[in-house]
Amino acid sequence: MAGPSAPATPAAPWKRHIERQLRQRDRAQKARFLELVPAYNRLLEKAELLTQFSEKLQPEPNKVTPTAHQGLWEEESEPDSDQVSSPATLRMKWQEAEEGLRLVCGEMAYQVVEKSAALEALESELEKQQSRLAAQGARVAQLEETRAQLAGQVEERQALSAARRTAYDTLRAHARLREAALRRLEEDTHHLLEQLVQLKARAAAQRNLRNEHQQRAKQAQVLQELKKAVRKTVSINESPDTLGNVTREGALTLAPAAELVSQESEACEKKWKRPFRSASATSLTLSRCVDVVKGLLDFKKRRGHSIGGAPEPRYQSIPVCVAARLPTRAQDVLDAHLSEVNAVQFGLNSSLLATGGADRFIHLWNVVGGRLEANQTLVGAGGSITSLDFDPSVRGLCPKGLPGVGSHLQQGRPALEGGGGTVQAGIGGVWQETLSGHSDKVTAAKFKLTRHQAVTGSRDRTVKEWDLDRAYCSRTINVLSYCNDMVCGDHIIISGHNDQKIRFWDSRGPHCTQVIPVQGRVTSLNLSHDQLHLLSCSRDDTLKVIDLRVSNIRQVFRADGFKCGSDWTKAVFSPDRSYALAGSCDGTLYIWDVDTGKLESSLRGPHCTAVNAVAWCYSGSHVVSVDQGRKAVLWH
């Protein structure tokens, strides 16, 4: 196939490829006719020779002999008939050969027609292929143009990437300098905090010493005044008209010696004025006066204005869930933090959620339409957050962390945040005061049911009660093992410890009231809303339900595949206390029926790492779980 003259520039590879394919197809089509054309040519040559031979054999009209002489010629030729065939025989042979050639020529003509039709079909196919080749050529030209444009964009992107890499290197060097400065500042801050803790401790000691001196001085003054009052003569007023009838209706009035006492003893002075039967009963002993004064001082120390007065202010009641719904599927999955998520807690209205993680951030979320929508991010924690607690007043939040207690974020009231062995206080996320007392990492914190009080546990093996209004530690309890988690009741504090024991403390007493041993380090405690049952999770891969009315273990929950993933893995009751929920180290959630002790269901799916904490909303409709892989999952 002849083609156009070769261009000055070498042909593109795709053109050479197409040209080779066309040549191969031409050779293949030509090979099919190589045998047919020579055979057809030979047949034509034979047919032409036979035609010539037949023409020679036909007699000419003027040379035909008469019939009379024909017999003679035949007779004369008979002797040679054996050697030379007669014309009739040759004519018959020629006719037979001619008929055979006609048949062969017909077959060959039919094959020629078939081959011609096939050739036309191939030519039409060739035209189609040529049209496709032209279209593909146009497409290739367009792609080449697009490729050139993309190559230009790649060069621009490479230049931009190089510029950004240079800027990144510069920023990285600057960040290293800032990190070094930050480390220096953190060290300075740590030293300042230590100094501040020491100053606070000294100030607290001085304040306690000053208060003790003032109290002792006041007691000494009162005792001196009472001694003076005792030494004075007691006068007896007798009415003249009843003087002769003293033994029957005599009345003795105690001299007003109580005026020397402060105004706070006026309420008790009336009790001292009473009729006596003899004059010997009118003398007041020193021991009696001391007892009265001690009673007055103890009366001042009591909380409230009187023993039978109004009770301590308490938080409003927690909403009650009639029946919790078992979660069956994951509604929303998101990366909640920059690193491991350790804590999650629902608010009392079930639409506010808080999460805390190792990135020292606390994120607040709104549960809207089966999705978690970001609300607010709280910063300033001194360490990774390991657990969270909402203020029962519905307005605030108390997160705890390693190291630290976390934040009690409430409008118009202080916030608590722990770092190292301190608890920081602030308003609206701005830290304003530090509550010092713990000498090691604070690992757990809870609000008490009475207002403005909280309890913390630390690795320094102490449990402390805090007065949040006056921002000081009101009580310190020394424990043999550090606390991993705790819960608070009306007058009871329950703490779970690393020495595989659960301890009970009475807020009104100095000592531990009860100890319940478990098989494994206690990782979490959860108190039912009726405060009658306690759920504990421990490193022996079991959950236990403790009946607080009889102080014994009522149920033990186990399951194939359930393993506690860390020392701060949290397990919770459902709001109606019908189910117990915990997450395993393989990312599976396990739900047990509290009444029967059987495994109700197990939820698998979004979590690929250990589940650190779970939370069940107070309405009983949603569950949220968080894991070590930054994920928070909303279950419905």
Side-chain angles (χ1 to χ4, degrees):
M1 181 177 65
S5 60
T9 58
W14 62 272
K15 291 184 178 180
R16 291 197 298 271
H17 177 70
I18 294 175
E19 187 175 312
R20 283 196 300 271
Q21 288 184 342
L22 291 175
R23 287 175 180 172
Q24 290 177 0
R25 189 182 65 182
D26 290 341
R27 285 195 295 269
Q29 296 294 335
K30 186 176 179 181
R32 297 177 181 177
F33 296 96
L34 288 178
E35 297 179 358
L36 180 63
V37 172
Y40 183 70
N41 291 332
R42 286 195 299 271
L43 288 175
L44 291 177
E45 291 176 358
K46 289 180 180 180
E48 186 177 358
L49 291 174
L50 289 174
T51 303
Q52 293 176 0
F53 184 74
S54 62
E55 289 178 355
K56 288 180 181 180
L57 291 177
Q58 288 180 359
E60 295 180 359
N62 53 2
K63 290 183 180 182
V64 177
T65 58
T67 306
H69 298 284
Q70 185 176 0
L72 182 62
W73 182 77
E74 290 177 356
E75 290 177 358
E76 291 178 355
S77 61
E78 281 180 0
D80 299 329
S81 61
D82 295 332
Q83 297 179 355
V84 179
S85 299
S86 63
T89 304
L90 292 176
R91 187 178 294 108
M92 290 178 62
K93 290 182 178 181
W94 176 79
Q95 288 177 356
E96 291 177 357
E98 184 178 8
E99 186 177 357
L101 288 175
R102 287 177 182 174
L103 293 175
V104 172
C105 289
E107 292 178 358
M108 297 297 292
Y110 179 74
Q111 292 180 1
V112 168
V113 171
E114 288 182 349
K115 297 297 182 181
S116 299
L119 181 61
E120 291 178 357
L122 290 174
E123 287 178 351
S124 62
E125 183 68 21
L126 178 61
E127 291 178 357
K128 292 180 181 179
Q129 293 292 337
Q130 288 177 350
S131 62
R132 287 183 60 190
L133 180 62
Q136 292 294 333
R139 177 64 177 168
V140 167
Q142 183 180 0
L143 292 176
E144 287 289 340
E145 184 179 359
T146 305
R147 178 181 174 277
Q149 295 177 357
L150 293 176
Q153 293 180 3
V154 168
E155 293 178 356
E156 293 178 358
R157 295 289 176 85
Q158 289 177 351
L160 182 60
S161 176
R164 289 184 175 178
R165 188 179 296 109
T166 304
Y168 171 74
D169 294 337
T170 305
L171 290 175
R172 190 174 180 181
H174 186 63
R176 289 197 188 97
L177 297 177
R178 290 295 182 90
E179 287 178 357
L182 178 61
R183 283 194 295 270
R184 290 194 296 270
L185 289 175
E186 287 179 349
E187 292 176 357
D188 296 341
T189 304
H190 182 68
H191 293 315
L192 290 175
L193 285 175
E194 289 180 353
Q195 295 175 4
L196 184 59
V197 169
Q198 295 174 0
L199 290 175
K200 282 284 186 180
R202 286 197 294 270
Q206 291 175 2
R207 182 183 298 177
N208 293 335
L209 184 61
R210 186 167 57 252
N211 292 338
E212 185 177 357
H213 287 168
Q214 291 177 358
Q215 186 176 0
R216 289 180 179 177
K218 190 172 181 180
Q219 290 178 357
Q221 182 181 1
V222 172
L223 289 176
Q224 291 294 332
E225 292 176 352
L226 288 174
K227 288 180 182 180
K228 291 179 182 180
V230 169
R231 286 195 294 268
K232 290 185 178 181
T233 305
V234 178
S235 61
I236 300 174
N237 296 328
E238 298 181 5
S239 180
D241 55 345
T242 59
L243 185 58
N245 197 14
V246 174
T247 58
R248 181 171 54 87
E249 296 179 357
L252 300 179
T253 303
L254 185 64
E259 292 179 358
L260 301 176
V261 190
S262 62
Q263 295 180 357
E264 294 174 341
S265 63
E266 291 178 1
C268 296
E269 185 180 359
K270 297 179 180 180
K271 297 181 181 180
W272 300 346
K273 295 180 180 180
R274 60 183 182 87
F276 292 93
R277 293 297 181 183
S278 63
S280 62
T282 61
S283 61
L284 291 174
T285 62
L286 179 59
S287 60
R288 171 64 178 169
C289 294
V290 173
D291 293 339
V292 172
V293 173
K294 286 185 176 179
L296 292 174
L297 294 177
D298 292 339
F299 174 78
K300 285 183 64 180
K301 292 181 180 179
R302 293 193 187 103
R303 305 185 71 173
H305 298 287
S306 65
I307 297 176
E312 295 177 342
R314 295 173 58 86
Y315 292 118
Q316 61 182 355
S317 61
I318 298 175
V320 178
C321 174
V322 178
R325 180 170 57 189
L326 282 175
T328 56
R329 59 187 179 87
Q331 267 193 319
D332 195 10
V333 181
L334 51 86
D335 291 334
H337 287 261
L338 301 177
S339 57
E340 179 180 359
V341 189
N342 296 326
V344 60
Q345 182 68 28
F346 272 103
L348 297 184
N349 58 1
S350 300
S351 63
L352 181 63
L353 178 76
T355 58
D359 56 0
R360 302 186 181 185
F361 292 151
I362 300 168
H363 294 302
L364 299 180
W365 311 85
N366 290 328
V367 182
V368 179
R371 293 290 182 268
L372 295 177
E373 297 181 357
N375 183 339
Q376 188 179 2
T377 299
L378 309 177
V379 298
S384 62
I385 307 299
T386 57
S387 60
L388 298 166
D389 186 24
F390 271 93
D391 188 336
S393 63
V394 187
R395 298 174 295 176
L397 172 72
C398 177
K400 293 91 59 177
L402 280 175
V405 176
S407 309
H408 158 54
L409 299 169
Q410 180 179 6
Q411 300 174 358
R413 287 193 52 198
L416 298 179
E417 189 276 330
T422 63
V423 182
Q424 291 180 338
I427 297 177
V430 180
W431 310 113
Q432 295 182 345
E433 183 160 357
T434 300
L435 306 177
S436 59
H438 287 295
S439 60
D440 203 343
K441 298 177 182 178
V442 181
T443 56
K446 276 288 183 179
F447 283 107
K448 296 183 68 176
L449 295 182
T450 52
R451 288 184 183 272
H452 319 322
Q453 295 185 11
V455 182
T456 61
S458 172
R459 287 182 178 268
D460 62 0
R461 293 177 174 82
T462 62
V463 174
K464 291 183 179 290
E465 296 185 47
W466 300 87
D467 188 327
L468 301 180
D469 279 340
R470 290 181 286 181
Y472 85 105
C473 178
S474 59
R475 182 189 178 191
T476 299
I477 302 173
N478 294 314
V479 196
L480 297 177
S481 177
Y482 67 81
C483 172
N484 284 329
D485 198 8
M486 61 174 53
V487 292
C488 299
D490 288 332
H491 297 289
I492 193 171
I493 300 171
I494 308 173
S495 55
H497 296 269
N498 200 52
D499 61 353
Q500 306 180 9
K501 292 180 180 179
I502 300 174
R503 291 177 169 86
F504 294 76
W505 313 86
D506 194 329
S507 298
R508 300 163 294 185
H511 303 294
C512 179
T513 60
Q514 188 179 1
V515 177
I516 297 179
V518 294
Q519 301 298 323
R521 297 190 298 272
V522 180
T523 64
S524 74
L525 297 175
N526 186 248
L527 189 64
S528 62
H529 291 169
D530 55 8
Q531 300 185 22
L532 299 179
H533 295 85
L534 177 70
L535 177 67
S536 70
C537 179
S538 53
R539 290 308 299 269
D540 61 346
D541 303 329
T542 62
L543 273 67
K544 301 176 181 64
V545 177
I546 300 173
D547 192 337
L548 300 180
R549 293 168 293 187
V550 293
S551 300
N552 65 353
I553 298 176
R554 174 184 170 185
Q555 289 279 4
V556 178
F557 300 138
R558 295 184 178 88
D560 294 336
F562 174 74
K563 291 185 179 180
C564 191
S566 65
D567 284 347
W568 51 88
T569 299
K570 298 297 184 291
V572 296
F573 276 123
S574 63
D576 59 352
R577 199 191 57 77
S578 298
Y579 306 102
L581 170 65
S584 177
C585 63
D586 61 353
T588 305
L589 298 186
Y590 291 86
I591 304 175
W592 289 271
D593 191 311
V594 174
D595 295 329
T596 62
K598 296 181 180 179
L599 181 65
E600 190 70 23
S601 65
S602 59
L603 304 176
R604 302 176 184 270
H607 292 297
C608 300
T609 56
V611 176
N612 283 334
V614 291
W616 208 316
C617 70
Y618 289 93
S619 64
S621 58
H622 293 90
V623 168
V624 173
S625 56
V626 295
D627 62 12
Q628 296 179 1
R630 305 183 301 172
K631 287 184 180 179
V633 180
L634 176 65
W635 301 86
H636 180 69

